[in-house]
Amino acid sequence: MKIFGVDLSERPALIAEIGVNHEGSLDKALELLNLAARAGADAVKFQSYTAERFIAADDPERRARVARFGLDEAAHLALKEAATDSGVAFCSSAISEDWVPFLSTHCAAIKIASGDIDFEPVIRRASASGKPVILSTGTADLAEVRRAVAWAREEMGEATPERLAVLHCVSAYPTPLEQANLTAIPTLAADLDPITIGYSNHVIGPEAPIAAVALGARLVEVHFTDQKHGRDFRDHELSCDPDDLAYLAKVLPGVAKARGTGEKSPQACEEGTGPAIRKGLTVARDLPAGHILSRADLVFTRPATEFPSRCISAVVGRKLLKPVQQGFVLRRDSVEA
C-alpha cells in the first residue's frame, strides 16, 4: 500500500493526530500542523463532524464543547493549504457521515474512528468515495473487525488491499502499557492478509509505537500537541509533543528495517561467522599415527573449521594418519576417511 507519498513496504507512515487538540482555534490548528510537519510527520489528521449528528441532545454540555471544538469547511480548506505548503498530507476522521463528500474531495485519506467500527453508513460511504480509508478498531473484537472490513470490501472491490488500512487500537485515554495488546497486530495481519495493518496509539511514551512497528505495523498514528501538561482537555496529556514526534520519525523507519523477512535463516552479515564462533573437535593429548580415536582423546574448542562438534560420533573409532598434538584442532587430513 502507498499512502501519503510513502511506500509502506519500505517504511511506516507516521500520522500526527491533531484531532481537536486545537480546541476550536484555527490559529492553534495551523500552529500544530506546522509543528508536526517540522517534526517529521507524514500526515496530519483532524476530526470533522456536525455536532448535532455526533452527540445526542441528552448531553448538552458535551454537545456544546464538541460544537465549540469543531472546525468548519473554510477552516478545513485553510488547513489543507497549509499542509500542502508544509509538505505533509492532510486527512481527517469523518466523525459524522455527512462530512464524507467534503473529505473525499479534499483529504488524502478518510479515517474511520474506533467508535464507528460498527457504524455501517460511514464505513460504506467512505469506502465508496475512492479515497484510501483508515479503519481504527478500538473496543472491537475480531468478528467486529471482520464485519467492518467486509463492508469496506463490498464497496472497494479488488482495490481493497490498495485502499484499506486497519489500525489496532485500544480506546482508553490513556491506555495502560500492559493493556496495549500489541500482539493483536500480527493476529490482524494474518487474519486480514493482504490488508495493511497499523497502530493507533493512546499509551503515554514511545514504547508502544516502537513495539508496534517491530510487530509489523505499517502506519502509526499518535496524538499530537504542543504542550502535554497544564491543559484541561484530556487528549493533550497522552499526546506526543514535537520532540516526541521527531524521535518517532527518526527511529521508526529503522525499527521497520530491523523486522526482516520473518524467516529464521543466517543473514548476509553473518557469512563466515558460524565456524568461527562454534565449537569443533580438538585433540586432548599428544597421539601417534595409527592411534584409534576414542571419546577421551577429544575435547571441544573454537573454531569449528575442521570437524564441528556434532561430528564426534563419526570420528570416534577412526585411525589417525599422522601424529597430532594436544590442544590443536583435529584436521580432516589427519584422520582416515
Side-chain angles (χ1 to χ4, degrees):
M1 184 180 190
K2 295 181 179 179
I3 192 169
F4 311 137
V6 179
D7 184 339
L8 300 184
S9 67
E10 297 180 355
R11 69 169 180 88
L14 182 58
I15 304 169
E17 154 70 321
I18 295 170
V20 291
N21 275 350
H22 51 74
E23 300 186 35
S25 166
L26 176 58
D27 287 343
K28 176 58 71 172
L30 290 166
E31 178 187 350
L32 290 172
L33 183 156
N34 289 320
L35 287 171
R38 289 200 295 271
D42 296 297
V44 289
K45 192 185 77 64
F46 295 87
Q47 294 180 11
S48 306
Y49 54 81
T50 300
E52 293 75 17
R53 299 181 70 163
F54 184 12
I55 304 297
D58 305 59
D59 190 347
E61 183 177 344
R62 188 180 182 198
R63 180 188 274 193
R65 186 188 70 210
V66 163
R68 188 171 70 252
F69 283 13
L71 298 175
D72 61 17
E73 290 187 1
H76 281 69
L77 293 175
L79 290 167
K80 178 186 177 181
E81 182 178 358
T84 300
D85 292 343
S86 297
V88 293
F90 172 71
C91 60
S92 190
S93 295
I95 303 296
S96 58
E97 74 275 17
D98 56 313
W99 273 82
V100 171
F102 178 87
L103 298 183
S104 66
T105 300
H106 299 290
C107 285
I110 300 174
K111 172 80 183 294
I112 304 297
S114 289
D116 290 331
I117 189 70
D118 65 345
F119 186 36
E120 185 175 359
V122 76
I123 293 174
R124 285 194 179 275
R125 197 167 189 183
S127 299
S129 70
K131 289 288 184 172
V133 172
I134 302 171
L135 176 68
S136 208
T137 61
T139 76
D141 60 25
L142 188 56
E144 291 175 311
V145 175
R146 288 171 176 164
R147 182 179 61 191
V149 169
W151 292 335
R153 184 177 283 117
E154 287 176 9
E155 302 297 333
M156 294 180 176
E158 294 181 357
T160 303
E162 288 77 44
R163 286 188 47 217
L164 180 64
V166 174
L167 306 188
H168 169 58
C169 179
V170 177
S171 293
Y173 305 87
T175 297
L177 180 62
E178 64 273 15
Q179 294 184 48
N181 193 28
L182 295 177
T183 51
I185 292 170
T187 297
L188 289 170
D191 192 84
L192 301 178
D193 183 63
I195 290 172
T196 295
I197 305 302
Y199 174 60
S200 179
N201 181 60
H202 298 129
V203 177
I204 295 174
E207 293 88 352
I210 291 170
V213 171
L215 287 165
R218 302 289 181 174
L219 294 91
V220 173
E221 178 187 71
V222 295
H223 286 241
F224 182 73
T225 187
D226 59 339
Q227 181 183 326
K228 293 186 285 187
H229 306 296
R231 297 273 184 77
D232 292 333
F233 185 50
R234 68 178 183 183
D235 281 17
H236 292 289
E237 186 175 0
L238 62 87
S239 298
C240 290
D241 64 18
D243 289 342
D244 299 329
L245 191 69
Y247 176 72
L248 291 177
K250 178 181 177 180
V251 303
L252 292 186
V255 174
K257 289 181 179 178
R259 284 193 301 237
T261 65
E263 177 185 352
K264 179 53 185 169
S265 61
Q267 298 298 296
C269 61
E270 295 179 293
E271 185 176 353
T273 301
I277 66 172
R278 295 184 181 187
K279 297 293 197 305
L281 301 184
T282 298
V283 180
R285 53 179 175 265
D286 291 347
L287 298 172
H291 179 79
I292 304 301
L293 289 169
S294 68
R295 175 64 184 81
D297 296 327
L298 301 168
V299 292
F300 306 103
T301 68
R302 292 181 178 182
T305 50
E306 294 289 328
F307 289 105
S309 60
R310 67 178 183 274
C311 294
I312 190 165
S313 296
V315 170
V316 168
R318 290 162 66 176
K319 183 191 297 185
L320 286 173
L321 299 176
K322 58 180 71 172
V324 293
Q325 290 181 276
Q326 178 184 3
F328 282 76
V329 170
L330 180 65
R331 298 180 60 83
R332 289 180 180 271
D333 61 7
S334 299
V335 182
E336 70 175 358

